[in-house]
């Protein structure tokens, strides 16, 4: 494959609240990529701060966390669905289907343009996250997944001793 890429995709809590999960996965399947990892995750403050390190110091980070963790929708929705997609130009393909960050500026045929909104706190509830470069994809995938949760060897790993047994972790 000429330009094999991996990308982290997160279906954010608003996607789950709006029952859009199946719809969004169908839209993504049109990109002809392959899922190599998937799970449902409850987002801790620590994980959110790692994932959105570039926004951690922004005045709206608390409100962003309340949205991204699903807290604003109640306990039943405090979760996200996380995927690693693999394929030719995976990062660009998913970003194009997702649309611009601001749902009001996004093309109306994109996921964010069709289903996003800006909430009363000013947070852009835009349904989906996807990595924006190979470097951030690698960083993000390593933050969200352990090597053994991905069905292919995508980045180098190493073996470490954990409580007497061996575990595989990301090499760096
Ligand atoms: N965000 C927001 N207001 C802003 C910037 C970001 O609500 O002014 C939220 C929005 O949900 C966005 C996320 O923070 O998707 C991450 O921001 P980023 O600039 O990385 O945009 P993305 O990569 O998601 O398009
Ligand atoms: Mg981003």
């Amino acid at each position: 494959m000429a330009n094999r890429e991996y990308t982290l995709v997160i279906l954010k809590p608003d996607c789950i609240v709006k029952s859009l999960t199946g719809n969004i996965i169908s839209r993504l399947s049109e990109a002809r990529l392959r899922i190599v990892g998937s799970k449902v995750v409850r987002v801790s403050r620590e994980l959110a701060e790692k994932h959105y390190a570039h926004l951690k110091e922004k005045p709206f980070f608390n409100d962003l966390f309340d949205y991204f963790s699903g807290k604003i929708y109640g306990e039943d929705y405090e979760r996200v669905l996380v995927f690693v997609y693999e394929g030719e130009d995976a990062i660009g393909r998913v970003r194009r289907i997702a649309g611009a960050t601001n749902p009001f500026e996004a093309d109306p045929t994109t996921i964010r343009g069709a289903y996003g909104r800006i909430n009363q706190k000013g947070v852009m509830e835009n349904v989906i996250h996807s990595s924006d470069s190979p470097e951030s994809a690698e960083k993000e995938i390593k933050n969200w997944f352990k090597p053994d949760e991905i069905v292919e060897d995508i980045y180098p790993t190493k073996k470490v001793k954990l409580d007497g047994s061996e575990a595989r972790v990301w090499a760096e």
Side-chain angles (χ1 to χ4, degrees):
M1 197 182 295
N3 185 29
R4 180 193 299 270
E5 286 178 343
Y6 299 95
T7 189
L8 185 85
V9 171
I10 304 174
L11 303 190
K12 300 182 185 180
D14 52 329
C15 179
I16 300 174
V17 168
K18 293 174 174 172
S19 277
L20 289 169
T21 309
N23 173 315
I24 303 304
I25 293 171
S26 293
R27 296 274 297 257
L28 294 177
S29 69
E30 288 162 22
R32 303 201 56 78
L33 303 170
R34 297 181 311 130
I35 295 171
V36 296
S38 78
K39 59 180 174 177
V40 53
V41 174
R42 194 167 272 246
V43 181
S44 66
R45 179 84 189 195
E46 189 191 355
L47 181 56
E49 287 185 2
K50 263 196 196 168
H51 180 72
Y52 283 140
H54 60 299
L55 300 173
K56 213 174 75 179
E57 306 303 331
K58 298 274 187 202
F60 61 80
F61 188 80
N62 277 332
D63 292 327
L64 175 60
F65 175 70
D66 288 347
Y67 156 59
F68 189 57
S69 65
K71 209 173 129 191
I72 57 171
Y73 302 116
E75 214 181 321
D76 288 351
Y77 296 100
E78 285 185 39
R79 65 210 58 195
V80 295
L81 288 164
V82 201
F83 299 88
V84 179
Y85 280 85
E86 174 269 328
E88 176 89 29
D89 186 29
I91 293 168
R93 282 190 194 178
V94 177
R95 294 278 296 189
R96 282 191 290 277
I97 295 169
T101 305
N102 184 333
F104 295 160
E105 287 169 7
D107 185 285
T109 64
T110 60
I111 291 169
R112 288 166 160 185
Y115 304 117
R117 66 167 186 174
I118 298 181
N119 71 21
Q120 286 165 324
K121 303 268 187 176
V123 174
M124 297 168 190
E125 299 190 4
N126 54 12
V127 184
I128 184 171
H129 165 83
S130 71
S131 309
D132 62 11
S133 67
E135 295 70 33
S136 45
E138 177 170 348
K139 203 176 106 245
E140 292 173 0
I141 290 167
K142 289 176 173 176
N143 279 341
W144 288 82
F145 285 88
K146 297 183 183 124
D148 291 341
E149 294 173 323
I150 295 176
V151 296
E152 291 175 8
D153 290 328
I154 67 173
Y155 305 121
T157 60
K158 63 182 180 192
K159 289 206 166 122
V160 293
K161 280 249 188 301
L162 263 183
D163 302 329
S165 58
E166 268 200 344
R168 219 156 60 93
V169 297
W170 301 116
E172 52 190 54

